[in-house]
Amino acid sequence: MRILLAFLVLVLAVPVHAQNLTEADYARAERFLGPNMASLVYRGSVQPNWLSGDRFWYRSTTGEGTAEFVLVDPGRKRRAPAFDHVKLAAGIQAAAGGSVSADALPFTTFTFSQDERSVTFDVDRDRLTCSLRNYRCTVETGAGAGRQAGPVGMRGRFAGFGTEIDSPDGTKTAFVRDHDLWVRDKATGAETRLTTDGAEDYGYATNNAGWTKSDRPVLLWSPDSKKIATFRHDGRGVGMMYLVSTKSGHPELQAWKYPLPGDSLIFRIERVVIHVDEPRVVRLQMPPDDHRSTITDHIVDGGEWVDIEWSPSSDRLVFVSTSRDHKTEVLRVADPETGAVRDVLTEVEDTFYESGFDVVNNRLVDATDEYIWYSQRDDWGHLYLYDLATGALKNRITSGAWKVLAIRHIDEKARRIWFTGAGREPGDPYFQYLYSVKFDGSDLKLLTPDSLNHQVTFSPSMRYFIDVASAPAIPPTISLRDANSGALVSTLETADISALVAAGWKAPIPFVTKARDGETDLYGLMYTPTTLDPSKKYPVLNYIYPGPQTGSVGSRSFTPARSDKQAVSELGFVVVELDALGTPMRSHSFHAYYYGNMGDNGLPDNIAGIRELAGRHGFMDLDRVGIWGHSGGGFASTAGILRHPDFYKVAVSGAGNHDNASYEDDWGEKWQGLLVRNEDGTTSYDNQANHLIAGNLKGKLLLAHGGLDGNVPPYNTLLVAEALMNAGKDFDMLIFPNSGHGFRQGNYWTRRRWDYFVRHLLGVEPPKEYVIGAGSR
């Protein structure tokens, strides 16, 4: 009997693969990649093109190669075809020739005439205008060459991320030339130099945060188009960053200012207001600020500067100053005429302050001289109402063990705020919902009641919103709702995934496990092969992005392919991703769990979660666990195999910031704290540096980096490589020539990652030099 039981155990524990993988195996996995899956979802999105009266049209993909155009009138609760598709197809065919199908019209966008009695669109190189009364079309030959009719109603503050910024009245545009700020009259082309003392490393409106930079200026026009709020960007004495291209002959050098944690000098901004018509520069009477945002220095809203607002009358400027360590925030009001500055309120955090989740929620309420302030002072992100004149707290607006994410609209007259939040409703605490509440905190309304993740788009008047409700395993239902009550106005679309399912799609499996403390619930997704045999053992791959900026799982909305997780699972792996302690969107203490010790990376929670899942699912093989990630995930995956070498046997690491003392100051000093150098030569950053623990390597490690990565410079990976060599450790490394932070040789990198796990976890050989995206297979 014992012999029989032993035999059964051996049979059940047989690894999933006993022979080499073939090109057919890889081709099958490739079918699950995003480009192949996304086109199999029909009626899954609504991109509104707004008309007067909150009406809008959109194009809905109804099947392979078929689509319809829909016109929605919220006031009449009417959803109908935008025009007669059959008659329009006949009109196009009569005017331009060829064969035109009503369910496959030869354009994707159009514009209505002003009276909406005709439509204009491009077909190949021609532009057609068709009457919606008799459906006769006229053709303007060659007028459509290289042009597409743009969507209606999408112009404004979010339009265009070029190198110039238009004034609100549209008459002028501002730009940087030779370190000074200029404006151009759009009617005459006349240019005016607004500043005259700009210099290299000390210019106006300079857009350089070190790890990201742009020629687009950083500034905010006043509502009356007569003033510009900006800063003089002081990079004098800041350390340099260097990258060298790969080419035949002499390489090209890229060199720019890039401050690091612990540097004696980082970027400073000297705030100014420029009066355009004179021109005259008013310098605000305050010391320079260390940062330009309460979140990170690159954050902009539709291309505009954030954490700063003009009053509607353009007579005062309200902004927030952020300390170098992101712990102290000061709300200030400035007089643009004199430069006088008044401090209104100060908030100090023990770890780091944030004004929202990837957005800034602090807002001026000018008419009543009030200010809406975002704080996590009670461990949850909530809104508070302050008297702007005195700095006194008037009342809390929201409260409870949940989190305000983003203010979406404020109606000052009605004294009501619309915002997204998470964690208040039962179920997944990462599901986002839309709410509204009065300024005094009363009458909180849930406007998206389904237990799903909600993505909302407001109509121009803010009377309605489009709600896309879905979950990772639940396709979207798209509705039009009343913004005041949340009442359903019209169901616009229900996604059709029948073709996706027919192609073999398998939904990710949501799960809940406990964190390292055995108490905190953690949420994640698991991917298993469509050919899963529960009697066999499968190696486990842990995808990781550790925070603190975001987590591993990402959006809780439906996506037919979440990166290549299902695809790599098809090769014979179970893939696990979870949002560990140290990631955002929950309590502040959850987010700040490993503040000052970024080497933690949430790895103990990932390990605890995988062990718990393996206790539920006997097909998970804990003797064969791999880990991979990119950027912060590259840092974390290498930390995984070095800090937990008995758990993780294989790691693949892309573009990792392996030592945050060698990464940009704004990131490291916010999450790790200010760098402190000790008398013995150690620093407060040693506990997170991967190169200092290179000697711990036991398993197989593949490092990769882009040779022209201006975000995480490649020496972050080379530091680890050198330390591994010094420790006598074998490892593998790829350098992608002339690639930035996202490898331009992306398909090659994906295939090499697949190969590495197949070879070292499955224990078989992959097909030689398989080419992802080589064509139809």
Side-chain angles (χ1 to χ4, degrees):
M1 185 67 176
R2 290 180 180 176
I3 294 174
L4 177 60
L5 288 175
F7 174 75
L8 290 174
V9 168
L10 287 172
V11 170
L12 293 176
V14 171
V16 66
H17 282 289
Q19 60 185 12
N20 295 344
L21 293 185
T22 67
E23 285 204 2
D25 294 319
Y26 267 51
R28 184 176 181 281
E30 184 182 350
R31 293 204 304 267
F32 289 85
L33 293 176
N36 301 322
M37 293 284 102
S39 61
L40 300 177
V41 177
Y42 308 131
R43 298 189 179 278
S45 66
V46 169
Q47 300 294 327
N49 298 273
W50 297 105
L51 306 170
S52 62
D54 284 330
R55 295 172 303 124
F56 62 95
W57 67 264
Y58 66 94
R59 181 178 182 267
S60 178
T61 302
T62 56
E64 185 177 1
T66 66
E68 66 177 352
F69 293 86
V70 179
L71 180 63
V72 179
D73 187 338
R76 298 171 62 186
K77 296 186 177 181
R78 185 173 183 267
R79 176 193 179 279
F83 35 70
D84 188 315
H85 290 61
V86 173
K87 291 182 179 179
L88 184 57
I92 297 171
Q93 188 167 313
S99 178
V100 180
S101 171
D103 60 3
L105 293 170
F107 57 90
T108 59
T109 188
F110 68 89
T111 55
F112 276 114
S113 61
Q114 189 171 1
D115 60 9
E116 297 183 20
R117 293 183 178 181
S118 66
V119 292
T120 300
F121 49 86
D122 292 349
V123 178
D124 296 326
R125 298 180 60 84
D126 298 332
R127 176 156 295 172
L128 281 72
T129 298
C130 300
S131 167
L132 297 183
R133 291 181 294 177
N134 57 23
Y135 286 91
R136 292 178 180 173
C137 302
T138 59
V139 181
E140 188 178 354
T141 302
R147 294 192 288 176
Q148 284 285 332
V152 177
M154 299 302 290
R155 303 175 183 87
R157 64 184 301 223
F158 299 109
F161 283 19
T163 60
E164 301 182 352
I165 300 179
D166 289 351
S167 60
D169 63 9
T171 63
K172 295 178 284 291
T173 189
F175 60 95
V176 173
R177 179 186 293 156
D178 297 330
H179 314 295
D180 279 310
L181 192 63
W182 295 64
V183 292
R184 179 184 302 110
D185 186 291
K186 297 180 72 175
T188 66
E191 295 180 344
T192 302
R193 187 175 184 175
L194 301 179
T195 63
T196 58
D197 57 344
E200 187 174 3
D201 302 330
Y202 198 31
Y204 289 89
T206 304
N207 197 349
N208 183 6
W211 68 283
T212 182
K213 54 190 184 299
S214 169
D215 291 332
R216 182 178 175 85
V218 182
L219 57 86
L220 186 66
W221 282 93
S222 61
D224 63 7
S225 299
K226 295 182 179 179
K227 295 180 281 290
I228 293 174
T230 186
F231 50 72
R232 196 171 187 186
H233 190 267
D234 192 350
R236 296 172 298 176
V238 172
M240 297 293 293
M241 184 58 63
Y242 305 97
L243 295 175
V244 179
S245 68
T246 300
K247 60 180 296 187
S248 177
H250 294 288
E252 296 173 357
L253 174 68
Q254 295 181 18
W256 74 101
K257 297 288 185 175
Y258 186 117
L260 298 174
D263 283 358
S264 59
L265 290 175
I266 63 171
F267 293 136
R268 290 85 66 203
I269 61 170
E270 301 172 1
R271 296 179 184 265
V272 300
V273 173
I274 300 174
H275 295 251
V276 175
D277 293 338
E278 303 180 41
R280 174 169 63 99
V281 178
V282 176
R283 305 186 185 279
L284 300 196
Q285 299 172 21
M286 58 176 286
D289 275 333
D290 293 316
H291 298 293
R292 68 189 198 217
S293 169
T294 54
I295 300 180
T296 57
D297 281 345
H298 76 288
I299 291 294
V300 293
D301 184 1
E304 292 186 350
W305 192 10
V306 295
D307 277 316
I308 183 167
E309 290 182 86
W310 282 100
S311 63
S313 58
S314 304
D315 63 352
R316 61 177 173 175
L317 192 65
V318 183
F319 60 94
V320 181
S321 293
T322 299
S323 63
R324 176 168 177 169
D325 60 8
H326 282 273
K327 293 182 179 181
T328 303
E329 307 292 339
V330 182
L331 174 63
R332 290 173 161 147
V333 179
D335 183 335
E337 296 295 331
T338 66
V341 176
R342 175 174 61 88
D343 291 358
V344 177
L345 67 91
T346 300
E347 177 146 338
V348 181
E349 272 279 3
D350 291 335
T351 51
F352 53 84
Y353 173 87
E354 287 196 311
S355 55
F357 177 60
D358 257 357
V359 296
V360 170
N361 286 315
N362 299 328
R363 301 291 180 87
L364 171 66
V365 185
D366 183 71
T368 50
D369 207 23
E370 294 170 312
Y371 199 81
I372 297 169
W373 183 258
Y374 184 87
S375 174
Q376 299 183 86
R377 64 190 61 168
D378 68 351
D379 200 33
W380 296 94
H382 284 297
L383 305 176
Y384 298 77
L385 187 65
Y386 277 86
D387 186 309
L388 192 60
T390 66
L393 175 64
K394 300 184 74 170
N395 60 264
R396 289 190 63 146
I397 300 174
T398 59
S399 61
W402 55 280
K403 188 181 186 75
V404 171
L405 297 176
I407 290 177
R408 298 299 303 272
H409 175 57
I410 298 174
D411 186 332
E412 294 189 23
K413 291 183 178 179
R415 294 185 68 76
R416 180 171 285 276
I417 306 167
W418 283 256
F419 64 91
T420 54
R424 183 176 181 270
E425 312 308 319
D428 192 322
Y430 295 91
F431 282 174
Q432 298 189 30
Y433 298 85
L434 182 67
Y435 301 89
S436 74
V437 67
K438 289 186 176 179
F439 278 19
D440 63 5
S442 66
D443 196 27
L444 177 67
K445 294 180 180 179
L446 171 63
L447 302 174
T448 49
D450 299 324
S451 183
L452 294 167
N453 194 60
H454 296 270
Q455 298 172 302
V456 299
T457 302
F458 281 90
S459 68
S461 73
M462 309 301 293
R463 291 180 57 196
Y464 305 95
F465 65 91
I466 297 170
D467 174 27
V468 182
S470 68
I474 300 175
T477 297
I478 308 173
S479 305
L480 182 67
R481 294 184 177 273
D482 183 282
N484 290 315
S485 65
L488 179 66
V489 176
S490 175
T491 298
L492 302 177
E493 300 289 347
T494 300
D496 176 2
I497 64 167
S498 57
L500 186 70
V501 173
W505 176 79
K506 185 177 184 180
I509 304 167
F511 65 80
V512 182
T513 59
K514 295 298 182 182
R516 70 189 81 178
D517 59 11
E519 298 180 0
T520 306
D521 284 340
L522 301 179
Y523 294 75
L525 297 174
M526 182 171 70
Y527 307 78
T528 60
T530 55
T531 56
L532 177 73
D533 181 347
S535 69
K536 295 182 177 180
K537 287 284 189 178
Y538 293 77
V540 178
L541 296 181
N542 184 189
Y543 170 75
I544 189 168
Y545 192 93
Q549 178 181 336
T550 186
S552 299
V553 178
S555 171
R556 262 55 179 190
S557 290
F558 178 84
T559 304
R562 304 175 74 88
S563 183
D564 68 329
K565 293 157 195 170
Q566 185 61 44
V568 72
S569 177
E570 292 300 310
L571 297 177
F573 300 95
V574 174
V575 178
V576 175
E577 58 182 354
L578 63 80
D579 287 332
L581 291 167
T583 57
M585 289 188 68
R586 295 177 69 176
S587 69
H588 183 65
S589 56
F590 188 104
H591 190 188
Y593 187 83
Y594 57 75
Y595 172 82
N597 181 22
M598 291 182 69
D600 179 289
N601 278 303
L603 289 162
D605 300 315
N606 281 269
I607 294 170
I610 291 171
R611 289 190 185 278
E612 185 175 338
L613 288 172
R616 303 176 196 170
H617 306 291
F619 52 77
M620 296 174 65
D621 187 351
L622 291 186
D623 290 328
R624 295 182 293 163
V625 181
I627 185 172
W628 96 89
H630 191 84
S631 191
F635 168 47
S637 57
T638 299
I641 202 168
L642 296 180
R643 297 180 186 278
H644 306 277
D646 294 325
F647 185 78
Y648 294 111
K649 304 304 193 303
V650 181
V652 177
S653 168
N657 48 312
H658 295 286
D659 179 7
N660 286 285
S662 300
Y663 186 44
E664 64 104 9
D665 68 302
D666 187 46
W667 174 271
E669 293 184 345
K670 179 178 180 180
W671 309 115
Q672 180 75 12
L674 298 181
L675 190 148
V676 177
R677 292 181 171 85
N678 304 314
E679 291 184 1
D680 62 359
T682 62
T683 78
S684 58
Y685 274 53
D686 290 355
N687 62 356
Q688 54 78 51
N690 282 337
H691 66 92
L692 297 182
I693 53 173
N696 293 346
L697 182 64
K698 293 182 179 180
K700 301 296 294 186
L701 171 62
L702 172 60
L703 299 169
H705 220 107
L708 289 180
D709 189 341
N711 179 340
V712 181
Y715 71 93
N716 276 260
T717 287
L718 296 179
L719 279 170
V720 178
E722 182 181 37
L724 290 167
M725 293 174 187
N726 291 340
K729 297 294 182 178
D730 292 342
F731 66 100
D732 297 285
M733 185 169 69
L734 291 171
I735 296 298
F736 289 91
N738 300 320
S739 273
H741 195 54
F743 304 155
R744 65 187 182 89
Q745 303 92 341
N747 284 342
Y748 179 81
W749 171 233
T750 298
R751 192 266 292 176
R752 289 297 299 270
R753 173 161 47 81
W754 291 3
D755 288 353
Y756 209 74
F757 287 133
V758 165
R759 185 173 289 118
H760 298 299
L761 279 182
L762 284 183
V764 300
E765 278 298 304
K768 183 175 177 57
E769 297 178 352
Y770 181 86
V771 179
I772 293 176
S776 177
R777 296 182 184 276

